[in-house]
Amino acid sequence: MTVTETLNPAAGAEQSAPTSAAEILARARAAAPLLRERSEEIARARRLPEDVVELVRGTGVFRIGMPKDWGGPELTFAEQTEVIEALSYGDSAAGWCAMIGMDTWIYAGYLDETVVKEMLANPDAITAGLIFPVGRAERVPGGYRVNGRWPFGSGVTHADWVVGGCVVHSDGTPEPGPGGAPVNWRLVMARREEFETVDTWHTTGLAGSGSMDYQAIDLFVPEEHSFDFTTPRGSGPLSAPDAFLGNVPGVPLGVARAALDHARELAADRVERATGTPWSESYRVQTVIGQAEMELAAARYAVYGTLDELWQRLESGVEPTPDQQVSSALARVNAFRTARSVVSRLSDLVGTASIYQTSPLDRWLRDLHTMCQHILAQEQIVQSAGAHLLGGTPQAPFPLGLKG
């Protein structure tokens, strides 16, 4: 009996449960057109409907970080990104929530095995939450008394478990952190229903991600349901402190690919109004499409190339050079920015037809604009990479950025 079957007794009978990277990717690609059909509904609802959550769960995306030692598929960073890219090709919010929700098995790598068996009995359990320490965990017998309000809880409306970063206090005073850190930064995990959601997510883009605030008031969290990123139980690439950042660029890459394919489909039937020239023969249109393909391909290959190199280096235990330490972070930022630039120019190409809400270009551009406001796509990541290379002072935490 595998650990998967131990965690989920029914798993042994579930012949349809995906077990390989190829099968999970195939399911994600098959789900994409179904997600595309629901995109407007998802955006209006400002969250993923329950049946859409189960559709995404059924692809196996939430188990992609489950180690092979536990009976899981243990996808590499590049393989994970392919799955997120495929789902995002269908719907931006679904891809974003999948990217956030698959952190379950990353977090499990910092918890005691008995706790994992209790908390993650379903290998496809979904997590959500912000790991920045904006909450307060007062040390009490057996655990913590937690209070706080966290923003940007992507997927918090459908998650099974929710995490929140906290500063640990003892007798009202912040505890110093390990290794000389100024504070003891710890993550607490509790069931979704133990937190209260605050409906703040009224945005122009990525509306369907349900990234609203959530809060805890005098919530008791047992010590064993908390962790930090300093002491992983296992080893290997998925135990790296920034392992949960690897698949992030799959979202903008998938959205940009969807927009580019959409524009190419439009080009098959359009003509230039002034000249009657078919778009397929228009120098203007050909140049925009060619430029977009060139830039997206370069950004995509940078992402996958650096992720493959990162995985291989972590597997072999080779000490990274400064350039290797920042390469995947810079490729990630570039993916976000390139995707937004590509979709913006495609919207200009299509013209006034792209400004209506019935046009997917309108939604994709708004979604990408919102994504690019995330800390992972901000200028401080680029500055911090440059500072790291030059021996200066980075403004962003290292690893470069945190997901939430």
Side-chain angles (χ1 to χ4, degrees), residues 104-332:
T104 303
W105 286 100
I106 304 297
Y107 298 152
Y110 296 86
L111 296 166
D112 186 80
E113 185 171 332
T114 57
V115 176
V116 175
K117 289 179 179 180
E118 170 204 347
M119 299 178 70
L120 303 177
N122 178 2
D124 298 302
I126 304 169
T127 48
L130 183 74
I131 68 176
F132 278 124
V134 298
R136 173 174 175 149
E138 186 74 30
R139 196 177 289 278
V140 296
Y144 305 95
R145 185 67 60 187
V146 177
N147 288 275
R149 176 166 167 167
W150 296 263
F152 307 119
S154 300
V156 74
T157 57
H158 62 256
D160 300 297
W161 293 90
V162 175
V163 301
C166 295
V167 174
V168 178
H169 288 65
S170 290
D171 299 323
T173 303
E175 292 184 359
V183 295
N184 186 358
W185 174 7
R186 199 157 184 83
L187 280 77
V188 299
M189 180 180 285
R191 296 186 183 277
R192 177 188 55 177
E193 54 268 24
E194 296 184 82
F195 290 90
E196 178 185 350
T197 57
V198 185
D199 191 4
T200 54
W201 193 243
H202 298 269
T203 59
T204 57
L206 213 60
S209 67
S211 303
M212 61 185 63
D213 291 10
Y214 61 101
Q215 63 187 18
I217 301 173
D218 290 332
L219 171 64
F220 175 74
V221 177
E223 174 71 35
E224 60 270 22
H225 288 188
S226 70
F227 62 97
D228 60 36
F229 289 121
T230 62
T231 53
R233 282 189 301 100
S235 60
L238 290 179
S239 296
D242 55 348
F244 53 89
L245 299 177
N247 59 30
V248 174
V251 184
L253 291 177
V255 175
R257 182 72 262 168
L260 192 42
D261 286 352
H262 176 72
R264 288 172 59 174
E265 290 170 6
L266 290 179
D269 300 317
R270 289 205 170 195
V271 297
E272 296 279 27
R273 290 183 180 179
T275 64
T277 303
W279 267 26
S280 61
E281 297 297 334
S282 166
Y283 183 90
R284 176 183 74 94
V285 177
Q286 292 169 344
T287 302
V288 171
I289 296 297
Q291 184 81 16
E293 288 284 2
M294 177 177 66
E295 293 180 8
L296 183 58
R300 189 174 187 274
Y301 276 92
V303 165
Y304 283 98
T306 57
L307 288 178
D308 281 334
E309 187 277 330
L310 176 61
W311 185 273
Q312 292 166 13
R313 177 171 55 75
L314 289 172
E315 265 195 327
S316 63
V318 174
E319 190 68 23
T321 66
D323 292 74
Q324 289 173 327
Q325 285 186 301
V326 303
S327 61
S328 60
L330 292 175
R332 184 191 315 129

